[in-house]
Amino acid sequence: MPNSSTDSPALPSPGHDHDHGPVRGWRWAPAWILAYVALWPAPGYAEGILVLGALLAIVKLVSSRFSGGSQLLSHQAWALTSVLFFAYWLPELVSAFDAVDPPRALREAAVDLRYLPFLWLAASAVANGRGRRTTFGGLAVILGIWTVDALLQALTGTSPLFFGIDSIKQVISGHGMCTAEEVAGADRLSGILGPCNLKLGIVIASLSPFALYAAGRRFGSVGWLVAAAAVGVVVVLAGSRASWVTYALVLVLSGWRVLGWKKLVAVFGFGAVMLVVLAYASHDVRDRLVRTTHVLAANEEGVDRALSGRSRIWGAALCMAGRHPVNGVGARGFREAFPACDPQRGEVAQWGEGPAFHAHQIVLEVLSETGGFGLLLWLMGAALAWRAWRFASAVARERARPAMLALVVTVFPLNTHLAFYSTFWGGLTLLLAALYAGSLLAGRATEPPAAA
């Protein structure tokens, strides 16, 4: 038979590296990655898991790598994971020399080196079939639990998971996770992350490919549709308009493979109807839709109102890039540099008092904070990631598709974004990059792809 393994003796076995034999990964790595994600509602504990995982990875991964074997990662996965990290980190380091506070910026760059061994750990978590199933399936389960919890909050007004976390915090420290002012000021569904960390919508949107892929693989198109509807309701109620754009991209890039274009158009039609219904049911959703219509005003003020003041922020970012074209104002130095570049100095901003904290757009953030050097390295990293995808086999692409899609929609440049050089969003983006590199280049495998 033409497909028999006996007729293809030159093909390697699944998860095989040509130079050093089977790529076994590390069986405990998926547990570390899932624990890190599950603890995002408690940032301090999540950071502790990251640091401990990085320390263990230094011992486990580096010693194995230089003792003559690539049993944890293929050579290609080692290379791409490291290159993507340095495309992120080197601009941060170089920008520190001209930052407002160079010693502090250099310390931050040194601390961020902890991401590199953690990324090796994340890549090794998906280095074989069992690890990928555990990691990707675990991310889907976490996302499913957070989605159900958010839906319960939409129905009852309380997130059961956050209520439990907040109660534990009260017992331990005598105060809750959030202040009364933060609770009163919450303008959207907060879910497990709580009213003082209103990022649930964008987090769910960015990680949604793992849930949709798992639902589609297990239950076919019906499972994909049910998961897409549930996640979509949460994203609309909990997310900013940026998360709506992110999730729309997810639906387009994953839905056409499951449903085909005609059925996908019907899905978006149903989604538009649901958006109208949710706008009538939720004042916050209606307010965001009304704010969006201001973009139709034929004046700069209307556009700025529709963008929640971001046109003013983007003007300041371009000013910073013009004044510091080589290495920017320093990673996370945007707020200090903003007053000098504020194009409407003295006027009250759409977001209220105080400077803008970051550029809210990936290209402008990189360009303003790390300059042309930083943008060049980011583009080089993107080009190498694309080159790896382009020359990968169909099997490799299929196993890496959820991580690829999550990474693409997270860094999609025609959108607004959280700060990529912040601890939380930078860690999430680098994690997706490592999962992409580790699953795509796990080894020149011939294992059959799972059904989409």
Side-chain angles (χ1 to χ4, degrees), residues 166-335:
D166 193 57
S167 299
I168 294 172
K169 178 71 172 178
Q170 288 276 7
V171 171
I172 294 176
S173 61
H175 59 82
M177 296 285 291
C178 306
T179 64
E181 292 78 10
E182 290 169 331
V183 173
D187 63 348
R188 65 198 65 178
L189 205 66
S190 56
I192 189 174
L193 298 182
C196 49
N197 188 14
L198 297 174
K199 298 185 181 76
L200 181 71
I202 191 62
V203 170
I204 294 264
S206 286
L207 296 183
S208 62
F210 296 103
L212 298 188
Y213 184 87
R217 183 179 60 187
R218 185 66 181 267
F219 302 107
S221 59
V222 174
W224 187 92
L225 286 169
V226 171
V231 172
V233 169
V234 172
V235 169
V236 170
L237 292 177
S240 61
R241 289 165 294 173
S243 66
W244 299 358
V245 173
T246 298
Y247 190 60
L249 285 172
V250 172
L251 294 180
V252 169
L253 296 177
S254 66
W256 72 270
R257 302 181 73 247
V258 178
L259 304 175
W261 288 114
K262 292 182 180 179
K263 292 182 179 178
L264 184 60
V265 171
V267 168
F268 272 92
F270 177 76
V273 173
M274 287 299 300
L275 182 60
V276 173
V277 172
L278 291 173
Y280 276 102
S282 170
H283 175 271
D284 297 328
V285 174
R286 185 165 61 254
D287 179 64
R288 289 196 286 276
L289 288 175
V290 170
R291 195 184 314 147
T292 303
T293 62
H294 292 153
V295 77
L296 300 176
N299 57 70
E300 183 178 345
E301 182 182 355
V303 173
D304 191 56
R305 186 180 299 114
L307 296 173
S308 300
R310 285 179 176 80
S311 61
R312 179 174 178 176
I313 295 172
W314 295 341
L318 291 173
C319 166
M320 296 177 202
R323 293 184 180 183
H324 304 270
V326 177
N327 62 347
V329 299
R332 302 302 290 154
F334 193 93
R335 72 179 71 186

Side-chain angles (χ1 to χ4, degrees), residues 96-116:
F97 294 101
D98 282 343
V100 176
D101 187 354
R104 178 179 176 274
L106 287 170
R107 285 196 302 271
E108 291 294 329
V111 169
D112 281 353
L113 277 172
R114 72 194 188 282
Y115 284 123
L116 180 57

Side-chain angles (χ1 to χ4, degrees), residues 12-252:
S13 60
H16 186 279
D17 183 79
H18 282 292
D19 298 325
H20 296 284
V23 178
R24 296 200 298 263
W26 183 23
R27 64 174 182 166
W28 292 109
W32 282 101
I33 301 307
L34 296 176
Y36 169 64
V37 174
L39 287 172
W40 279 347
Y45 293 103
E47 184 69 13
I49 289 292
L50 188 152
V51 172
L52 288 175
L55 293 174
L56 287 175
I58 290 173
V59 176
K60 182 76 176 178
L61 299 180
V62 176
S63 63
S64 175
R65 177 66 179 86
F66 292 105
S67 63
S70 292
Q71 297 178 346
L72 299 174
L73 280 174
S74 69
H75 283 308
Q76 298 91 339
W78 273 100
L80 184 58
T81 303
S82 302
V83 164
L84 293 179
F85 167 76
F86 283 110
Y88 172 92
W89 181 77
L90 279 177
E92 179 184 12
L93 175 64
V94 173
S95 71
F97 294 101
D98 282 343
V100 176
D101 187 354
R104 178 179 176 274
L106 287 170
R107 285 196 302 271
E108 291 294 329
V111 169
D112 281 353
L113 277 172
R114 72 194 188 282
Y115 284 123
L116 180 57
F118 188 76
L119 297 189
W120 291 338
L121 178 70
S124 72
V126 293
N128 57 57
R130 180 180 180 182
R132 281 189 298 278
R133 288 190 295 272
T134 301
T135 304
F136 288 179
L139 290 174
V141 169
I142 291 172
L143 198 70
I145 293 173
W146 290 359
T147 298
V148 171
D149 173 76
L151 291 174
L152 290 174
Q153 182 186 11
L155 293 173
T156 66
T158 301
S159 161
L161 292 178
F162 181 76
F163 177 79
I165 295 173
D166 193 57
S167 299
I168 294 172
K169 178 71 172 178
Q170 288 276 7
V171 171
I172 294 176
S173 61
H175 59 82
M177 296 285 291
C178 306
T179 64
E181 292 78 10
E182 290 169 331
V183 173
D187 63 348
R188 65 198 65 178
L189 205 66
S190 56
I192 189 174
L193 298 182
C196 49
N197 188 14
L198 297 174
K199 298 185 181 76
L200 181 71
I202 191 62
V203 170
I204 294 264
S206 286
L207 296 183
S208 62
F210 296 103
L212 298 188
Y213 184 87
R217 183 179 60 187
R218 185 66 181 267
F219 302 107
S221 59
V222 174
W224 187 92
L225 286 169
V226 171
V231 172
V233 169
V234 172
V235 169
V236 170
L237 292 177
S240 61
R241 289 165 294 173
S243 66
W244 299 358
V245 173
T246 298
Y247 190 60
L249 285 172
V250 172
L251 294 180
V252 169

Side-chain angles (χ1 to χ4, degrees), residues 386-410:
W386 164 245
R387 186 179 186 277
W389 178 266
R390 180 184 175 188
F391 289 101
S393 67
V395 173
R397 291 182 184 183
E398 190 61 36
R399 69 185 178 222
R401 195 171 298 278
M404 178 278 294
L405 182 53
L407 180 61
V408 166
V409 299
T410 298

